[in-house]
Amino acid sequence: MLGTDLEQTVFVLAPTGRDARLIADTLLKADVRAETCSSSDELCKALEAGAAAAIVSQEALAPDALDDLARHLEAQPFWSDLPILFLTFTGSPSAENIAGANAAKALGNVTLLERPIRPETLRAAVRAALRARMRQYQLRTRQESLQHAISELEQFAYSASHDLREPLRNLSIFSELLMKQYSAALDDAGKQYCQFVLNGARRMETLVDDLLAYTRLSENGDNGDNDESAATDAGKCIEMVLNSLAPAIRESGADIQVEKLPVVGMRSTHLYQVFQNLLHNAIKYRGQSPPCIRVSAVRDQGFGWQFAVKDNGIGIRTEYKERIFGLFKRLHNTTEYSGSGIGLAICQRIVQRSGGRIWVESEPGRGSTFFFTVKS
Amino acid sequence: MVVIEDNPGDIYLIRYALGLHAIEDLTVIRDGEAGYEFVTQIDRGLATAPQVFIVDFSLPRRTGPELLELIRASRACAGVRIVIASSSRSPKDQAVARKFGADCYFAKPSNFEEYIQIGAIAADLLHDRP
């Protein structure tokens, strides 16, 4: 049988071959594809290959067979929730209830059907199960095409970034050479034009680099270095960030206070990028006085840790609080503040991918505090 | 010295950088397929293997890593030194270059002074300096 046929097939597990055959025949009369299984092992194998639903009668399932089946069902992909029709035993009422309740608990998507069952009732229950299963298949198809579209888009962005850089490099270097080697032949306007070309190319390169960093975050959720453990000492991480920002800190006269920070469940390269972007912004968007920045962390109920990076900079108007995390969203022109508008988008993507959230509280002229949550 | 590179700007800069180290004996091949044929010819004894290859990572028709693989598989090219020059700074591309046997990965910078360092790198490989 083909895989797609199996996916339309109801598998029947009943203790005697005769019972299973009877049920299967009842379904076949309603044009439902049905196959019998002689053991729970066989049923589990059938489910691995693909199945629309399963009909299981209580006496066919020993306790360890129930566990086996439950394990198989637990391993289903996220879109799949196999409908199980469980035929309860016509014995003593209490035994019935316990077996049915156990099965329902262990097997998830279970409909209990009490015997003796009328053929029409069985067929209706099976039809309902099949309808639900078809919806699950639709969900799978959607998911697959979405996944495909995403990976194509990422591939596109990645190679575009590679191929874009080459002509930009030529622009930068040769306008630089023009200014250096031909400055005598150029008047002031000519030199200025060269400078415009150079600035434009350099800026575009920054954009491409940042875009690359952003798309790289999506490749298998890592940054190219797989051997890193997910436990990161945030204190050590921020020390590294402060080292890398030392020239900007010196130049701006920034006062940066870091409280004791915990060990958190995030790759160090990712936490580094988040801190780096937030601190860099805190220094860059400063007001009249030198930046005063405070980094702290408190326990976040039920999740892990909530970090705060607080500054005394120019602040952000309420209507922009959401927008600043978007890709290429900038609030200033490039002569006021340089940048590509990707930094906060990268932060948001990193934090959200690890299950946390990031937001800002701010008042124009009174500084901003960026918060983000990380698992312990 | 053989340079396999398609971008005229890069060819100019590499030639300039090598000239600073008195390396004038230079063969330039302008696309991946021609590079592939050149290596095949070396294997057949129809061309001489250079001491150093400078190979662009992303060439038309045949990529840098493809050429690397071919050169490393060629007996006539045994011991040849290879510089992979690339527009990308991606750690993945560096890992690919290493895997296929490049002696050096040169991420082409967008600043003249840094770019011409490729001359010193190639000269060191040519004269077998570490």
Side-chain angles (χ1 to χ4, degrees):
Chain A
M1 238 191 298
L2 293 168
T4 46
D5 289 339
L6 291 172
E7 292 196 335
Q8 310 295 328
T9 302
V10 177
F11 288 88
V12 184
L13 176 64
T16 68
R18 210 177 63 89
D19 279 2
R21 200 61 255 166
L22 276 175
I23 293 169
D25 285 346
T26 307
L27 297 181
L28 289 171
K29 269 183 204 145
D31 280 335
V32 172
R33 221 178 260 140
E35 291 282 326
T36 60
C37 297
S38 55
S39 68
S40 60
D41 273 356
E42 204 185 313
L43 177 64
C44 286
K45 283 211 183 76
L47 298 188
E48 268 174 42
I55 298 177
V56 178
S57 76
Q58 179 192 330
E59 59 274 37
L61 218 53
D64 54 335
L66 180 71
D67 291 346
D68 259 5
L69 189 54
R71 259 197 303 280
H72 260 83
L73 293 171
E74 252 169 51
Q76 294 179 94
F78 90 95
W79 56 266
S80 174
D81 191 16
L82 189 83
I84 310 254
L85 305 178
F86 195 81
L87 307 180
T88 53
F89 187 47
T90 42
S92 76
S94 63
E96 243 172 60
N97 290 343
I98 290 166
N102 281 347
K105 215 193 283 176
L107 304 180
N109 189 4
V110 173
T111 305
L112 294 180
L113 295 171
E114 211 169 294
R115 277 177 295 182
I117 182 166
R118 286 174 35 206
E120 206 38 57
T121 311
L122 179 65
R123 284 195 284 263
V126 169
R127 268 196 292 270
L130 288 178
R131 279 176 70 99
R133 189 63 172 164
M134 295 311 129
R135 280 291 168 98
Q136 295 173 15
Y137 291 152
Q138 283 173 6
L139 181 63
R140 174 182 60 182
T141 311
R142 283 279 172 87
Q143 159 71 11
E144 283 168 354
S145 57
L146 197 64
Q147 199 57 50
H148 186 69
I150 290 172
S151 57
E152 275 198 338
L153 201 65
E154 284 167 353
Q155 188 54 43
F156 171 78
Y158 187 73
S159 49
S161 311
H162 272 71
D163 297 334
L164 278 175
R165 197 187 260 128
E166 185 172 298
L168 284 174
R169 225 185 33 244
N170 280 332
L171 278 177
S172 296
I173 293 191
F174 287 100
S175 52
E176 186 192 332
L177 282 183
L178 259 183
M179 285 194 289
K180 269 191 191 152
Q181 299 180 353
Y182 292 85
S183 66
L186 291 169
D187 63 5
D188 284 350
K191 282 177 198 157
Q192 195 183 19
Y193 296 168
C194 279
Q195 192 63 52
F196 286 151
V197 174
L198 184 61
N199 290 352
R202 290 265 153 88
R203 191 169 141 60
M204 188 71 185
E205 276 184 287
T206 315
L207 280 170
V208 169
D209 280 343
D210 289 354
L211 194 61
L212 248 182
Y214 184 77
T215 55
R216 243 182 246 151
L217 287 177
S218 5
E219 290 169 20
N220 314 317
D222 70 57
N223 220 346
D225 31 14
N226 293 310
D227 52 338
E228 268 181 302
S229 75
T232 297
D233 183 334
K236 281 191 186 143
C237 186
I238 206 151
E239 256 175 53
M240 279 160 37
V241 173
L242 292 178
N243 277 337
S244 82
L245 292 174
I249 294 171
R250 231 183 357 257
E251 198 182 303
S252 63
D255 170 32
I256 301 182
Q257 289 184 22
V258 181
E259 288 181 8
K260 192 170 155 45
L261 299 182
V263 172
V264 295
M266 184 187 265
R267 289 170 167 281
S268 62
T269 47
H270 286 176
L271 189 63
Y272 182 94
Q273 271 177 291
V274 174
F275 276 143
Q276 217 264 350
N277 277 303
L278 293 182
L279 286 171
H280 185 249
N281 283 347
I283 296 170
K284 184 162 78 174
Y285 297 103
R286 59 179 176 263
Q288 300 298 328
S289 47
C292 179
I293 302 162
R294 192 181 182 84
V295 183
S296 58
V298 293
R299 270 277 175 200
D300 179 62
Q301 289 226 324
F303 190 71
W305 293 93
Q306 177 184 307
F307 283 80
V309 177
K310 183 175 165 51
D311 66 47
N312 61 340
I314 58 173
I316 299 153
R317 296 221 315 257
T318 311
E319 60 262 44
Y320 297 129
K321 277 183 188 169
E322 305 277 334
R323 223 191 290 174
I324 51 169
F325 293 101
L327 202 54
F328 295 125
K329 294 293 182 225
R330 298 173 38 77
L331 302 180
H332 307 275
N333 68 38
T334 52
T335 43
E336 284 178 307
Y337 295 97
S338 64
S340 59
I342 294 181
L344 286 176
I346 287 179
C347 292
Q348 185 181 51
R349 195 162 193 177
I350 289 173
V351 171
Q352 286 183 349
R353 275 178 168 252
S354 73
R357 58 188 206 100
I358 183 167
W359 70 99
V360 64
E361 284 171 16
S362 177
E363 223 179 290
R366 299 205 156 182
S368 313
T369 308
F370 282 84
F371 296 93
F372 64 96
T373 57
V374 192
K375 290 193 192 102
S376 311
Chain B
M1 180 93 54
V2 169
V3 177
I4 309 178
E5 168 66 73
D6 62 312
N7 183 328
D10 286 310
I11 293 171
Y12 178 90
L13 291 168
I14 291 171
R15 200 187 283 281
Y16 183 98
L18 293 174
L20 294 176
H21 296 266
I23 302 170
E24 311 283 351
D25 182 13
L26 195 64
T27 307
V28 177
I29 297 172
R30 285 167 174 266
D31 83 69
E33 192 59 46
Y36 204 87
E37 256 161 45
F38 179 71
V39 178
T40 316
Q41 286 192 337
I42 296 174
D43 250 358
R44 293 206 195 112
L46 300 173
T48 321
Q51 286 171 277
V52 178
F53 273 107
I54 297 178
V55 184
D56 183 26
F57 194 94
S58 42
L59 286 160
R61 302 204 282 173
R62 298 273 190 175
T63 65
E66 269 181 274
L67 290 179
L68 259 182
E69 206 175 4
L70 184 73
I71 296 169
R72 286 304 179 218
S74 147
R75 244 189 221 183
C77 291
V80 163
R81 315 301 296 268
I82 308 172
V83 179
I84 277 276
S86 169
S87 292
S88 128
R89 268 157 243 170
S90 150
K92 261 189 195 165
D93 291 347
Q94 298 191 29
V96 167
R98 258 200 307 277
K99 186 180 145 209
F100 286 109
D103 291 291
C104 169
Y105 184 94
F106 183 73
K108 297 175 188 164
S110 27
N111 157 311
F112 179 70
E113 292 302 326
E114 286 171 29
Y115 197 114
I116 56 176
Q117 292 305 314
I118 196 171
I121 291 169
D124 283 348
L125 287 176
L126 185 66
H127 303 303
D128 220 9
R129 289 189 292 247

